[in-house]
Amino acid sequence: MSWRSPANEGWLRDLPGVRRDQPLARNTSFNIGGPADYFLESETPAELVAACDERGIPYRLLGAGTNLLISDAGVEGVVIRCVNRGWTVHGREVVAQAGLKMMRLARICAEHDLIGFEWAIGVPGTIGGAVCQNAGCWGGQLSDVLLDVAGLIPGEGPRRWQAGELGLGYRSSALRQGRWPGALVETATIRLAPGDGAAAKGDMARLTVERNRTQPIKSKNCGSVFKNPPGDSAGRLIEAAGLRGAREGAAQISEQHANFIINHGGATAADVLELIERARRRVRERFGLDLEPEVEAIGREAVVGRAS
Ligand SMILES: Cc1cc2nc3c(=O)[nH]c(=O)nc-3n(C[C@H](O)[C@H](O)[C@H](O)COP(=O)(O)OP(=O)(O)OC[C@H]3O[C@@H](n4cnc5c(N)ncnc54)[C@H](O)[C@@H]3O)c2cc1C
């Protein structure tokens, strides 16, 4: 039975702040994506997730939209953008709500003379997205400091995961790989070392300068498109396959760093998918390696990551 019953549609329409047929492009760093049937920003997403689950309404959680390629045909059901951004510091431990940005948390930690999270200054997404992806850079990753995660499993109720239960690997987790489909991250607790916050701020400033020098940070993109294969770099392989600067519509493989795809304005998800498939095909032909997408394609007709 379709979720679009009159009772469900009526309930959705009456939700405070809900928007219908909301274009999602403005909620992603790629600036790409068709409409969500219904869209909400929520500081208490658990209530919404539980209610949607009970009513059989499909939903998709959104953080900062910095690791997503949203289909041109949009997303069915409700898109819930998590904007719960609170945090508390207890000695060496910091509890952060899912909607808090990693960059902001990195600065908060340094302000409290806690060190070991400086790398997170390079991750523009939220804590919720970072848990799903085990985000990391500059040799650090969330699993190095994560203690536990509190959230909700639809149909089961509240859940607290110890970090070791989340299957955190290289840009992967049991949440992203679907062991708990639709599970919500509400808070994450990290444990850091006491140290010199001023020095940590200096390190973060240096990392930011280095990132601006080497990556097309100011353009519209989704960060790394592919994971790096063991012992190699996806950018090097794509460049060696002759695809640096390759274009499809308004999408282009970056001249500066070939593991980035840039939206020059008006690019579609179909344009980006074409470049992704071209890069995978060429690298496979040249080097016999199958590049695995780091970006997550969602929505109607999303196909990235398909073995081809
Ligand atoms: C310029 C740029 C540089 C980047 N550099 C890096 C980098 O160095 N290292 C790195 O790891 N990543 C990097 N990224 C990618 C991205 O920032 C990370 O993957 C980040 O963790 C995604 O967080 P987000 O809030 O944007 O998640 P989104 O893109 O909004 O969502 C990603 C996934 O998480 C899920 N999700 C989001 N919030 C929740 C929640 N509360 N509960 C459950 N599921 C949720 C979504 O449903 C989706 O499946 C970069 C991106 C850009 C644009």
Side-chain angles (χ1 to χ4, degrees):
M1 199 181 73
S2 165
W3 61 273
R4 283 185 174 277
S5 65
N8 277 349
E9 298 259 17
W11 177 77
L12 284 164
R13 275 197 302 271
D14 287 346
L15 288 171
V18 75
R19 279 171 265 168
R20 290 185 73 176
D21 299 321
Q22 167 81 359
L24 292 169
R26 70 184 70 156
N27 292 109
T28 69
S29 55
F30 238 147
N31 211 17
I32 291 174
D37 293 336
Y38 292 88
F39 177 87
L40 272 165
E41 295 189 336
S42 177
E43 291 181 20
T44 52
E47 291 168 20
L48 270 172
V49 165
C52 288
D53 181 55
E54 261 171 41
R55 291 172 169 273
I57 300 172
Y59 62 87
R60 164 60 70 162
L61 297 160
L62 192 68
T66 59
N67 196 47
L68 291 177
L69 177 61
I70 297 183
S71 140
D72 300 316
V75 177
E76 182 167 12
V78 190
V79 170
I80 302 168
R81 183 160 178 257
C82 302
V83 292
N84 45 341
R85 296 177 180 138
W87 52 272
T88 48
V89 179
H90 312 270
R92 294 170 52 195
E93 292 177 13
V94 186
V95 183
Q97 287 189 317
L100 187 69
K101 293 267 186 79
M102 291 283 278
M103 289 175 162
R104 172 93 180 98
L105 184 57
R107 291 195 186 96
I108 290 166
C109 294
E111 275 155 23
H112 287 79
D113 287 323
L114 293 171
I115 60 168
F117 203 62
E118 297 80 74
W119 56 267
I121 200 71
V123 180
T126 63
I127 310 301
V131 171
C132 292
Q133 181 78 348
N134 190 23
C137 53
W138 304 114
Q141 56 186 350
L142 191 59
S143 54
D144 297 340
V145 294
L146 187 68
L147 267 190
D148 61 33
V149 169
L152 179 86
I153 300 179
E156 286 185 29
R159 165 83 190 244
R160 185 173 288 275
W161 293 270
Q162 296 306 307
E165 294 177 282
L166 284 167
L168 299 171
Y170 171 47
R171 303 298 165 270
S172 69
S173 75
L175 291 175
R176 178 167 177 188
Q177 267 61 40
R179 165 131 185 241
W180 293 286
L184 169 75
V185 172
E186 285 186 278
T187 62
T189 306
I190 58 172
R191 182 184 285 157
L192 302 173
D196 182 346
K201 283 183 192 171
D203 288 344
M204 290 193 287
R206 275 189 291 282
L207 293 176
T208 303
V209 169
E210 180 59 11
R211 186 168 275 248
N212 287 338
R213 193 182 64 79
T214 54
Q215 297 179 2
I217 293 305
K218 296 207 162 58
S219 64
K220 297 188 189 320
N221 67 77
C222 67
S224 297
V225 174
F226 295 104
K227 298 184 186 185
N228 288 321
D232 211 329
S233 110
R236 188 199 74 78
L237 291 163
I238 296 165
E239 194 171 331
L243 287 177
R244 194 171 131 206
R247 289 187 86 114
E248 182 68 28
Q252 183 181 29
I253 294 180
S254 167
E255 301 265 10
Q256 191 181 0
H257 191 311
N259 198 21
F260 281 68
I261 293 178
I262 291 168
N263 173 9
H264 286 293
T268 62
D271 293 336
V272 174
L273 285 170
E274 162 56 31
L275 284 179
I276 287 176
E277 290 308 326
R278 202 186 300 171
R280 295 183 81 194
R281 197 170 53 243
R282 286 271 196 96
V283 167
R284 197 182 308 119
E285 283 165 7
R286 291 271 175 99
F287 307 105
L289 277 169
D290 200 12
L291 288 178
E292 187 185 342
E294 181 167 323
V295 63
E296 188 181 350
I298 68 164
R300 297 180 168 102
E301 302 157 21
V303 291
V304 72
R306 169 190 64 181
S308 57

